[in-house]
Amino acid sequence: MKLSSEERAMLDGTHSKAVQKAMEILNTLGTIYGAEKMIPVVSVQIAGVSYANLGEAGLQFLSEMADGGGKARVLTTLNPAGMDIENWQALGIDPEFAANQERVIDAFARMGVVTTCSCTPYLFGNVPHFGEHIAWAESSAVCYANSVLGARTNREGGPSALAAALTGRTPAYGFHLHESRAPKVTVVVEADVNENHEFGALGKAIGQKLEAGGKKAVPYIQGVSNASVENLKSFCASIATYGGTALFHMPGITPEAERYAPPPESFSISQAEVEAALDEMNDAEESEVDFVSLGCPHLSIKEIARIAELLEGKQVKKEFWITTARPTKHISDRMGYTAVIEASGAKFATDTCCVVAPISGRFNALATDSAKACYYAYAKNKFKTRLLPFDEVVGEALR
Ligand code: F3S
């Protein structure tokens, strides 16, 4: 790889031990993927924040980077942690786990990382614009950044995202290059999708068909005429989970979609296929549901307002987690939504989510509007699932 004099100095250890290690990681990655050079990034999102995923080895790596003088050079935010940093006791988190999670957050804070702990950084200030190069981890956010915002990122891992934060660089390969972003297959959506859970089912149906085709081809998706931010975050999370998709083009949504003609290779997604995907994520009986969660990906303030409206003056009968980012929770506090929601017995699980929190074995069946949450509820925690419209998920908590 061709490095600039500053990048060469980083690699030689002129800056700090942490920067040297970071540049070594990026240089190795770039060499593996055939990058010719490094490019500057304007934003980083780091995943792998839960102590449950990092363990002691991961925490030690972070501590060494912090002790070695690592400092974020660009705006850097964090993915959800394993607990609500301020309210973990209410969620039944083990004190030993909490202490270790706090050590993880502390290591990131020492490196100047904004410890917002959310998978939707684009809802509160980490919002790259069209064409900007970024280095994001977290598959749903990567897909959203590439496909909805039109920024350019590969799907980073935790260490490579941290390395990008500490150097302000990433190797120029993959979705940073114009030629890699061209769509390869047209997907014609013949189904009517309106709500988050339907967008999630659509993401599953498309993702699985792409996977079955044996390729991670960038899809050009036709037939979706209308989609809100909330619909799109659900869709991005789902197609990334079930298809490994990091970029799609959707005319009318994706800023650069108009640059391309629909590729000749194509497949369609019928109403029946979306309904089959919905059915597959509904294996729990209503009576089996003992855990309800909304906020995968993390909730927007508009969604929290709706929950407050639905819960006003009522009492929930099941464990109900409202998962969102701390800045969004602050708006909720200011608007009085938090008071209404907490008076109902529902709990804010800020900074975390029902997937990364260590809750394996605590529940039998999850009700949610998120296809991604269904996937991990089963794969990680062995919960059955009910995938429902947003309002009905709230209704499930009240039953
Ligand atoms: Fe976000 Fe957790 Fe879902 S990280 S996308 S809420 S699995």
Side-chain angles (χ1 to χ4, degrees):
M1 278 182 82
K2 195 159 177 282
L3 299 182
S4 69
S5 54
E6 193 189 359
E7 290 156 2
R8 177 63 57 196
M10 290 182 193
L11 191 59
D12 291 344
T14 311
H15 291 254
S16 67
K17 273 175 81 172
V19 167
Q20 182 177 31
K21 179 80 193 157
M23 190 47 89
E24 281 170 7
I25 291 170
L26 298 178
N27 196 40
T28 304
L29 253 184
T31 305
I32 291 169
Y33 286 103
E36 291 176 2
K37 59 175 185 175
M38 298 285 175
I39 41 171
V41 293
V42 298
S43 151
V44 171
Q45 163 79 0
I46 296 176
V49 178
S50 173
Y51 181 77
N53 299 333
L54 282 169
E56 210 44 41
L59 175 54
Q60 194 180 336
F61 170 73
L62 293 177
S63 301
E64 280 170 13
M65 295 300 260
D67 294 342
K71 283 277 176 252
R73 289 181 165 226
V74 296
L75 175 63
T76 302
T77 46
L78 281 187
N79 225 35
M83 63 184 200
D84 185 313
I85 311 293
E86 295 177 10
N87 195 28
W88 52 268
Q89 293 95 333
L91 304 181
I93 302 295
D94 174 58
E96 190 182 337
F97 179 89
N100 286 324
Q101 185 63 72
E102 278 166 4
R103 289 163 65 212
V104 171
I105 301 299
D106 178 60
F108 281 120
R110 285 196 286 136
M111 289 187 273
V113 173
V114 180
T115 54
T116 38
C117 301
S118 174
C119 50
T120 56
Y122 48 83
L123 292 181
F124 54 85
N126 193 350
V127 199
H129 65 62
F130 177 53
E132 284 191 317
H133 294 279
I134 61 175
W136 281 18
E138 168 47 40
S139 63
S140 68
V142 165
C143 189
Y144 193 97
N146 274 321
S147 316
V148 180
L149 303 179
R152 298 183 166 213
T153 182
N154 288 316
R155 193 166 155 169
E156 301 293 343
S160 66
L162 178 62
L166 303 189
T167 60
R169 306 288 199 284
T170 197
Y173 72 96
F175 291 128
H176 292 287
L177 307 179
H178 182 62
E179 57 271 25
S180 309
R181 298 179 67 88
K184 293 287 186 297
V185 58
T186 301
V187 181
V188 183
V189 177
E190 292 165 353
D192 191 25
V193 287
N194 299 293
E195 298 207 48
N196 292 347
H197 72 304
E198 294 166 333
F199 274 89
L202 177 65
K204 179 177 192 283
I206 297 175
Q208 289 182 327
K209 238 170 170 171
L210 287 169
E211 284 267 288
K215 35 186 140 141
K216 295 253 192 271
V218 175
Y220 184 96
I221 302 170
Q222 295 180 311
V224 177
S225 54
N226 201 13
S228 66
V229 164
E230 289 76 14
N231 297 154
L232 288 166
K233 71 181 167 70
S234 177
F235 179 73
C236 288
S238 180
I239 196 169
T241 298
Y242 291 95
T245 302
L247 164 66
F248 61 79
H249 295 283
M250 201 180 263
I253 301 284
T254 310
E256 70 209 85
E258 313 306 332
R259 284 182 179 167
Y260 304 104
E265 184 184 341
S266 74
F267 63 81
S268 60
I269 295 289
S270 66
Q271 188 71 40
E273 286 174 296
V274 170
E275 278 164 19
L278 282 169
D279 280 350
E280 283 161 21
M281 291 180 279
N282 270 297
D283 66 341
E285 299 298 325
E286 199 179 291
S287 60
E288 292 178 291
V289 172
D290 55 355
F291 182 39
V292 179
S293 184
L294 283 169
C296 174
H298 272 175
L299 292 166
S300 67
I301 191 62
K302 187 171 140 190
E303 291 175 310
I304 292 175
R306 178 66 183 153
I307 295 170
E309 198 179 338
L310 292 168
L311 288 181
E312 177 126 43
K314 300 179 183 146
Q315 283 297 304
V316 301
K317 310 241 169 37
K318 294 170 187 146
E319 181 86 359
F320 184 11
W321 286 16
I322 315 290
T323 66
T324 194
R326 182 73 48 192
T328 313
K329 163 83 165 26
H330 285 155
I331 303 172
S332 172
D333 296 348
R334 172 71 65 94
M335 293 302 294
Y337 304 147
T338 303
V340 170
I341 290 169
E342 290 184 338
S344 79
K347 296 172 183 171
F348 271 87
T350 313
D351 316 307
T352 188
C353 76
C354 66
V355 170
V356 297
I359 53 172
S360 190
R362 268 179 62 186
F363 305 103
N364 295 316
L366 167 73
T368 177
D369 71 336
S370 164
K372 176 174 179 176
C374 287
Y375 177 90
Y376 285 104
Y378 176 74
K380 181 167 176 268
N381 292 327
K382 299 284 175 278
F383 300 159
K384 289 182 171 181
T385 56
R386 273 172 77 72
L387 181 69
L388 301 169
F390 190 92
D391 287 8
E392 286 183 34
V393 175
V394 178
E396 195 75 38
L398 293 167
R399 237 188 299 279

